[in-house]
């Protein structure tokens, strides 16, 4: 598997001279969006971050059940010579590989990417708070899978400054792949502070520790296609406006992009943002539609298919996990070193990429493919889309990622869903403990 992954990810060479680098820089975030992002709009984003962040601090933050263990609890789950040996062993490389700190390593994308990095010889240290937004048993199973392949996941929260500082102290981290986040669009309506605590406060805490590290690692992090919000122009391109989020989740991801640019500009951090488009596949998240549809179809329960106000059907640019992993690896491989706040000879690298499949599929057609693979007809209930922040369609333009990273998604939905269904039917076999772990779970 490692050989295939490595061979399928063309490693774009970094700019070899100042002129070429400046050409990359000319496409920077500020210049690309200057035409659409006014001073007032930018101020609104800053006010949003400050006000919501103040709310988290004032009220003590979300509970453990919402976003995982708080920082004052994490001290009991890490530290000591045995723990340090586990971290160092996990960070060991074969040859001249990079050393990557992967946040959210027990998550869907995090676990797949961590495994791919380790199998090709890179050092990997994971961190995850194992929150219970969806059944923790699946995260623990991913953890066991990674541990069997030599990847150790530190159990802790990215808001824990002491923990992060300790990791950077004992491991020579060259790259950070930041995938930890409070996911889900609809859950934000019920627990907005969880999103600010994890997606905004957590990102700032991480960036603060990265800027102190010597040397400073390059940063690749997960943004989201949700930042395109209420855009009607398709396909979505990186230079399109992203100042009209349709959900609080999208607003926090947009805030991350603004914060990333700030730390790039002031502190010279190498920053790459990856806008993921509806990632699916084996070991996926139970809160996602493809997962809950599969579960309900197999159980003979109705599935809800949303329609817009004019009866239009939702469409998504479903992207298979293996293609997203290739994009993550290529982004890490082409990330230039951070230059620090005293960098005088050149500016730090700043990039934004869409990672999608480029082929939107209507949800009804998506369900038909699931029916075919499951050999069961779904009980469909067509309902009005709730006002919780979902958008009607997503469609990625990946030209920039193709040119810079060699990114070329190759898994169509028919093939990708077959791989997911095959995994699901084995992992959640009737009567198994894995199936029982889903009992009582209902996604938002």
């Amino acid at each position: 598997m490692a050989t295939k992954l490595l061979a399928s990810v063309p490693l774009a060479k970094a700019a070899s001279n100042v002129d070429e680098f400046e050409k990359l820089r000319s496409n920077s975030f500020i210049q690309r969006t200057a035409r659409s992002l006014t001073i007032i709009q930018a101020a609104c984003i800053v006010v949003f971050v400050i006000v919501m962040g103040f709310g988290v601090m004032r009220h003590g933050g979300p509970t453990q059940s919402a976003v995982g263990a708080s920082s004052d609890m994490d001290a009991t789950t890490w530290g000591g010579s045995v723990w340090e040996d586990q971290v160092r062993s996990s960070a060991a490389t074969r040859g001249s590989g990079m050393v990557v700190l992967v946040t959210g390593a027990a998550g869907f994308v995090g676990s797949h990417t961590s495994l791919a990095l380790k199998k090709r010889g890179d050092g990997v240290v994971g961190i995850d708070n194992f929150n219970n937004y969806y059944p923790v048993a699946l995260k623990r199973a991913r953890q066991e899978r990674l541990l069997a392949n030599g990847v150790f996941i530190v159990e802790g929260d990215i808001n824990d400054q002491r923990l992060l500082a300790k990791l950077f102290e004992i491991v020579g981290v060259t790259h950070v792949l930041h995938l930890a986040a409070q996911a889900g669009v609809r859950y934000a309506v019920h627990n907005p502070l969880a999103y600010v605590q994890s997606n905004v406060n957590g990102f700032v805490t991480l960036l603060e520790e990265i800027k102190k590290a010597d040397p400073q690692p390059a940063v690749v992090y997960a943004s989201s296609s949700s930042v395109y919000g209420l855009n009607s122009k398709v396909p979505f391109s990186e230079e399109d406006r992203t100042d009209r989020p349709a959900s609080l989740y999208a607003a926090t991801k947009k805030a991350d992009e603004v914060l990333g640019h700030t730390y790039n500009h002031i502190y010279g951090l190498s920053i790459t943002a990856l806008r993921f488009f509806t990632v699916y596949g084996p070991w996926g998240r139970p809160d996602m539609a493809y997962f809950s549809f599969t579960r309900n179809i197999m159980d003979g329960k109705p599935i809800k298919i949303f329609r817009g106000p004019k009866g239009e059907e939702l469409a998504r640019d479903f992207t298979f996990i293996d293609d997203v992993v290739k994009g993550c690896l290529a982004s890490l491989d082409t990330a230039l070193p951070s230059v620090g706040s005293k960098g005088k000879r050149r500016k730090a690298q700043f990039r934004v990429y869409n990672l999608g499949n480029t082929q939107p599929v209507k949800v009804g057609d998506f369900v038909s493919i699931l029916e075919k693979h499951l050999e069961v007809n779904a009980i469909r209930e067509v309902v009005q889309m709730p006002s919780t922040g979902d958008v009607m369609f997503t469609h990625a333009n990946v030209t920039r990622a193709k040119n810079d990273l060699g990114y070329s998604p190759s898994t169509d939905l028919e093939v990708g869903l077959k791989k997911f269904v095959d995994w699901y039917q084995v992992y959640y076999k009737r009567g198994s403990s894995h199936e029982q772990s889903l009992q009582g779970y209902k996604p938002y």
Side-chain angles (χ1 to χ4, degrees):
M1 174 181 177
T3 304
K4 291 181 180 178
L5 276 173
L6 185 56
S8 62
V9 184
L11 305 182
K13 293 183 178 179
S16 59
N17 53 58
V18 175
D19 289 339
E20 191 171 348
F21 184 84
E22 288 301 326
K23 182 178 179 181
L24 288 173
R25 183 65 184 176
S26 68
N27 290 323
S28 68
F29 179 87
I30 291 296
Q31 291 170 325
R32 289 196 306 274
T33 58
R35 294 188 300 271
S36 60
L37 184 58
T38 66
I39 295 175
I40 293 177
Q41 290 164 335
C44 288
I45 293 171
V46 174
V47 170
F48 163 79
V49 174
I50 293 174
V51 171
M52 293 298 283
F54 175 75
V56 171
M57 293 185 288
R58 182 177 179 182
H59 296 289
T63 63
Q64 181 176 351
S65 64
V67 296
S70 59
S71 60
D72 61 346
M73 298 174 62
D74 289 340
T76 62
T77 66
W78 60 271
S81 59
V82 174
W83 178 84
E84 289 188 16
D85 287 344
Q86 289 176 305
V87 172
R88 290 192 180 97
S89 176
S90 187
T93 67
R94 292 200 311 267
S96 58
M98 64 182 73
V99 178
V100 187
L101 175 64
V102 180
T103 72
F108 177 30
V109 179
S111 61
H112 277 276
T113 309
S114 295
L115 186 60
L117 286 166
K118 194 64 175 179
K119 285 190 172 183
R120 73 177 198 174
D122 296 308
V124 182
V125 177
I127 181 172
D128 203 291
N129 67 6
F130 293 90
N131 72 56
N132 64 356
Y133 167 64
Y134 59 79
V136 179
L138 180 58
K139 299 179 182 181
R140 293 298 182 188
R142 296 182 189 130
Q143 179 187 30
E144 292 176 6
R145 184 169 178 245
L146 287 176
L147 190 59
N149 285 274
V151 178
F152 177 64
I153 299 180
V154 174
E155 191 161 345
D157 198 289
I158 57 173
N159 282 288
D160 189 338
Q161 291 178 291
R162 293 195 307 116
L163 171 56
L164 294 177
K166 187 65 175 179
L167 289 173
F168 286 122
E169 174 190 329
I170 66 177
V171 177
V173 176
T174 62
H175 297 71
V176 173
L177 179 60
H178 176 47
L179 302 174
Q182 177 57 61
V185 169
R186 294 177 206 133
Y187 181 58
V189 175
H190 303 273
N191 194 355
L193 292 183
Y195 289 78
V196 178
Q197 173 75 348
S198 181
N199 301 0
V200 180
N201 291 6
F203 191 38
V204 172
T205 303
L206 180 62
L207 290 173
E208 280 292 303
E209 294 307 313
I210 291 172
K211 83 174 189 185
K212 299 174 188 175
D214 185 17
Q216 296 171 329
V219 182
V220 176
Y221 74 95
S223 182
S224 170
S225 62
S226 296
V227 300
Y228 291 110
L230 301 178
N231 276 5
S232 58
K233 169 188 167 293
V234 291
F236 298 152
S237 299
E238 291 88 347
E239 62 270 17
D240 291 345
R241 63 185 300 181
T242 56
D243 58 345
R244 298 188 298 167
S247 67
L248 189 141
Y249 168 73
T252 63
K253 286 298 185 177
K254 173 60 181 178
D256 284 349
E257 292 192 357
V258 176
L259 289 164
H261 184 271
T262 301
Y263 277 78
N264 167 265
H265 175 70
I266 298 176
Y267 302 111
L269 298 187
S270 172
I271 300 286
T272 302
L274 303 178
R275 294 173 178 170
F276 294 157
F277 282 71
T278 316
V279 188
Y280 73 100
W283 297 94
R285 284 171 27 207
D287 65 310
M288 297 293 285
Y290 69 91
F291 197 112
S292 60
F293 282 178
T294 299
R295 179 185 174 195
N296 287 344
I297 291 172
M298 291 183 65
D299 291 344
K301 297 179 180 178
I303 62 171
K304 292 182 179 180
I305 299 177
F306 294 146
R307 295 291 177 113
K310 298 180 180 179
E312 63 271 38
E313 192 170 356
L314 272 68
R316 291 289 180 269
D317 197 345
F318 297 99
T319 313
F320 191 61
I321 182 61
D322 290 357
D323 292 321
V324 169
V325 168
K326 293 173 187 177
C328 289
L329 296 184
S331 298
L332 290 166
D333 290 337
T334 57
L336 297 179
S338 294
V339 301
S341 58
K342 296 181 181 179
K344 298 179 180 179
R345 300 183 65 181
R346 61 183 176 87
K347 294 182 182 296
Q349 183 183 48
F350 186 86
R351 306 180 296 175
V352 179
Y353 295 112
N354 288 336
L355 294 186
N357 192 52
T358 75
Q359 298 178 19
V361 176
K362 292 182 178 180
V363 174
D365 296 335
F366 162 86
V367 173
S368 296
I369 296 174
L370 268 183
E371 290 175 323
K372 174 184 174 182
H373 292 320
L374 292 169
E375 298 182 345
V376 179
N377 290 328
I379 303 173
R380 306 187 188 204
E381 289 185 358
V382 179
V383 298
Q384 190 80 5
M385 185 172 69
S387 301
T388 51
D390 278 311
V391 294
M392 288 303 305
F393 56 86
T394 60
H395 183 184
N397 179 342
V398 299
T399 301
R400 181 183 295 172
K402 179 179 180 180
N403 293 339
D404 294 356
L405 309 176
Y407 175 74
S408 181
S410 59
T411 310
D412 65 29
L413 191 59
E414 181 88 26
V415 173
L417 279 181
K418 180 63 167 64
K419 291 182 178 181
F420 168 74
V421 167
D422 288 347
W423 169 81
Y424 185 97
Q425 291 179 324
V426 172
Y427 187 82
Y428 288 107
K429 184 179 178 180
R430 297 287 186 185
S432 68
S433 60
H434 293 150
E435 184 196 33
Q436 293 173 8
S437 70
L438 288 176
Q439 297 301 316
Y441 171 70
K442 183 178 181 182
Y444 285 88

